[in-house]
Amino acid sequence: MLQLSEWCKEIFKNEAFAERIANTLNFVLKHLVGPEMVRVQIKDPESVSFKQIKLLVELCTIYTNL
């Protein structure tokens, strides 16, 4: 999605698509840094290549691009 938000901003002008993307991004952001954060517990994030900070930076970049 990050590359799509950089290359093809026209696709996000579709109101229904943009709303779905915004809802998805808000959901993920809420679970990364909001009150739902305590529910996201990965015992060994390295084993599943989960990089919370990198994901957060990419989400912020997507918001900026949109």
Side-chain angles (χ1 to χ4, degrees), residues 1-2 5-7 9 60-66:
M1 174 120 50
L2 177 62
S5 74
E6 291 172 347
W7 296 339
K9 295 179 183 178
C60 291
T61 303
I62 292 169
Y63 273 113
T64 303
N65 289 342
L66 301 180

Side-chain angles (χ1 to χ4, degrees), residues 4-41:
L4 185 61
S5 74
E6 291 172 347
W7 296 339
C8 185
K9 295 179 183 178
E10 292 294 317
I11 196 170
F12 296 99
K13 289 184 179 179
N14 177 305
E15 188 175 324
F17 183 72
E19 186 174 340
R20 281 189 118 171
I21 294 299
N23 288 337
T24 301
L25 292 174
N26 290 338
F27 175 85
V28 172
L29 189 60
K30 177 178 154 184
H31 282 78
L32 279 178
V33 297
E36 304 289 327
M37 184 173 121
V38 295
R39 298 171 94 186
V40 179
Q41 295 180 357

